[in-house]
Amino acid sequence: MYFCTRKQALLSAQVLCVSLLASAAWGQAQGSISQQVLDRVDAYNANVVLEMAFDDPNRTQDFVNLGIAGTKFSTCKLTATDGIFCLDGKVVRHWPNPGDPQSYVDELSCNDPALKLDAKKSDTCTGMSVDLSGALWLAGKKASTHSLIKVVAKAATDVCPYGWSVLSGSRYCAIEFYAGRPLLVDIDPIGGDVGAAFKPCPTCALQSGVLGLEERKTSVFFPDPKPTSTSSPIVIASGKGWNLVGNEQLLSSALLQVPNGSATENFVLVTTTSGRILAKRTDVAGAASEVFNIPLERIQTSAQCAFGTQHYGIRTSSKSGRVYVTDRNFCQVLALAPNGLPFTSLVNDGASEDLTLSTSDSSGTFPPNGPTLAPGINIDLEDCSTNCTLLTNEEGTPAASLVGVQLASGSNSGATLFQVKGLVDCRYASPLPPGCAGAIVDPDSRGHPAAQLLNVTPLLPKEITSLFDASGIPPKGLPPLLISRQYRAQERNDFAFEAFFVVTEAGVRIVDNFTALYDVPVLEGVPASLGCLPDAGNLLAWDVVTAVNEVFKTTDIDGDNDAEHVDVLTNVGCVNPTIVKPPPRLSLLPYNLEVVPDTYGPTILSAVKSVTMGNDAVFARLVQNLYDDLEYVRREMACKPVDPVPNAGPAPLSAAVCNTLFSKWENGKVKLDKCVNAAFQPKQSAGDENCQSFISQLTNYRASVPATTSASDVANRVGELKSRVDVIRHVFDTRFLPSIPAAGFCRERDPDPDTCPDPWQ
């Protein structure tokens, strides 16, 4: 599977992408409840940052020069949603949007008096990185010793916590976590799901922190302490422990986690001045060993591109299991992979040839100092105004695309796409997997899965949840993101499912509605799926796609008229791939769900069981629920100023439009209920007329929704109403009407055993 970005489109006339096949298998093997499987790779030197085009067999160039210019980059760190940070001399410089290299922010100076570093030295800061939470980490010089310092952003009205110092400009707070250390270089934060599985020594607990090199001979792990605690660094190996030869020194280090069944084996990898890559397992006792030799494995035709001091940088991907290495004097970036179990060596990760990319072409020669990685993939929504392919497989078959995305005037357009595999529907999975705490929502306390909702938030990987604070309150916090009663993970997948999660940059505003195309078999990487086109013999065989936003609420689940963040059905057609129209806001997008074959739930209070497959009222009740939700959104969201706006303003729809829509909805409600009731036994011939009348009312309703979105409609409720109507029409035409049996549906309460046998016995 490959993922494509806007900048990568510059590399080839073909669609260019990042492989997901290895990353999906690698992530799922690590045994957590879910795994985010996309990442991207940049390389940098003292003056430039390059986006590397790994995993594209059709590439015509190996890299894109992002145009990010520096004078003395010693290290750069790519982040998931906040662009790239580079330590340029003594200044930490930040490009929030790498696609706009002229717009950058000088975040802080290593000469800031509050840091208390040696400002007279040219290398006041010897290392810099950014962790998943967005905190900056600095390695800095103090006279003859070095310190590890954590820097966090603060709101203008906040004060720094006790023990922290405020930096110049009052935007940051800093604290020295470790002091009096030897020369400290090449720091790399270990956090998220990686930190949750990292055991830095055989007797250590699992923990997060910062991996670093001291005196170019010692690999050290700095546990992430509480500000008031006293933690000691953990030495991974030093000098003879690395089997260094002669004057050989360490240059760069990274953590590689190798899945072994349900366990995770932890290895610290280092590069040396002689070009060797050494590995030391941390969770069990054992000696370090050589796992790769860069000069010996170098492609024989490689030409030397630089003649300065050689350097080899290294970083690893917990998503794909790859190890990325830079070979500065030969202008190369290598993608390596473990040789298997037991892990004893690294091999070049190319299917038919060495996967080694050059950083030299007709545009220039750029000897790379090191690689930097980040989870997720950047997309530019401006490129989706017509059709932008997000994912394709190795044969070039599109797996996911966006069509007709319209942005408001002045809107930003950046977004980061994550793909999550291994999500589990805790309502139905048996035995209940670990990590399901807080995932089952049962507002009516019935204990029946079809009456419950699934809270996906606690199931998401930390690479995503760490982008939000712990408040659970939007927009900074991640609230419960609910999959409603009507949908569940597919039974054929043992109730596991997948999803996209899209984080848009501040200021992105989509207007009207757009279309997305999903090819579920291609997304899953397997040929089988429930399908898209209706099967008269099994209408429940349907790959359902939904959407739920983390900022804007959708509907009420417990009758208190207080809306929650509940998913919305988005399927509107099928021409293989599935055609969907999500409410025009991007966030959590599950794509391989199914309709629950049971009408037990709060809208059918008397129901206990229902007949499954073609002889039941599942789609009848689904259409009714969807239609009721349409009215709730009109009444409570589109006709009231409930969504956040810069100033208290008018509702998205005028009172006149609101009244018109309600009148048409009310007329349609009468016709729909008569249509559905006539479809139950004994089936009534008047049902056809009422069903056609409902379609007419629904068409009139759609025509009455305004063509444009007002400035006050920050949540794009106008586009949402259109999408909801289109979904209702699709379900009504392709699922509900064909599901009506010749004799009519069985009643859900006390079905006649002669004509409606109980399928549950």
Side-chain angles (χ1 to χ4, degrees), residues 33 424-436 440 493-496:
I33 199 164
V424 177
D425 193 332
C426 300
R427 299 169 296 178
Y428 293 90
S430 181
L432 197 66
C436 278
I440 298 176
N493 291 328
D494 296 324
F495 301 111

Side-chain angles (χ1 to χ4, degrees), residues 33 422-429 432-433 435-443 448-460 479-490 495-499 546 548 557 564-567 588 590 592-593 596:
I33 199 164
L423 291 161
V424 177
D425 193 332
C426 300
R427 299 169 296 178
Y428 293 90
L432 197 66
C436 278
I440 298 176
V441 179
D442 194 353
H448 192 294
Q452 298 168 340
L453 298 92
L454 179 70
N455 178 11
V456 181
T457 298
L459 308 179
L460 293 171
L481 301 176
L482 305 176
I483 292 180
S484 58
R485 300 171 174 92
Q486 298 99 316
Y487 320 114
R488 70 181 188 186
Q490 295 177 6
F495 301 111
F497 66 102
E498 302 176 4
T546 69
V548 54
I557 63 170
E564 287 83 17
H565 301 264
V566 186
D567 70 337
L588 180 68
N592 59 344
L593 303 178
V596 173

Side-chain angles (χ1 to χ4, degrees), residues 515-519 531-534 572-580 730:
T515 300
L517 305 177
Y518 289 75
D519 193 322
C532 180
L533 291 169
V572 296
C574 182
V575 192
N576 193 27
T578 298
I579 304 173
V580 304
H730 177 65

Side-chain angles (χ1 to χ4, degrees), residues 269-285:
L269 305 181
V270 296
T271 58
T272 75
T273 49
S274 64
R276 296 195 298 157
I277 300 178
L278 309 176
K280 174 71 169 65
R281 188 168 175 184
T282 65
D283 48 273
V284 298

Side-chain angles (χ1 to χ4, degrees), residues 244-287:
L244 299 180
V245 179
N247 295 324
E248 191 176 26
Q249 293 182 315
L250 305 183
L251 295 174
S252 184
S253 67
L255 173 65
L256 173 66
Q257 293 184 323
V258 179
N260 187 352
S262 60
T264 299
E265 299 177 358
N266 291 277
F267 296 86
V268 169
L269 305 181
V270 296
T271 58
T272 75
T273 49
S274 64
R276 296 195 298 157
I277 300 178
L278 309 176
K280 174 71 169 65
R281 188 168 175 184
T282 65
D283 48 273
V284 298

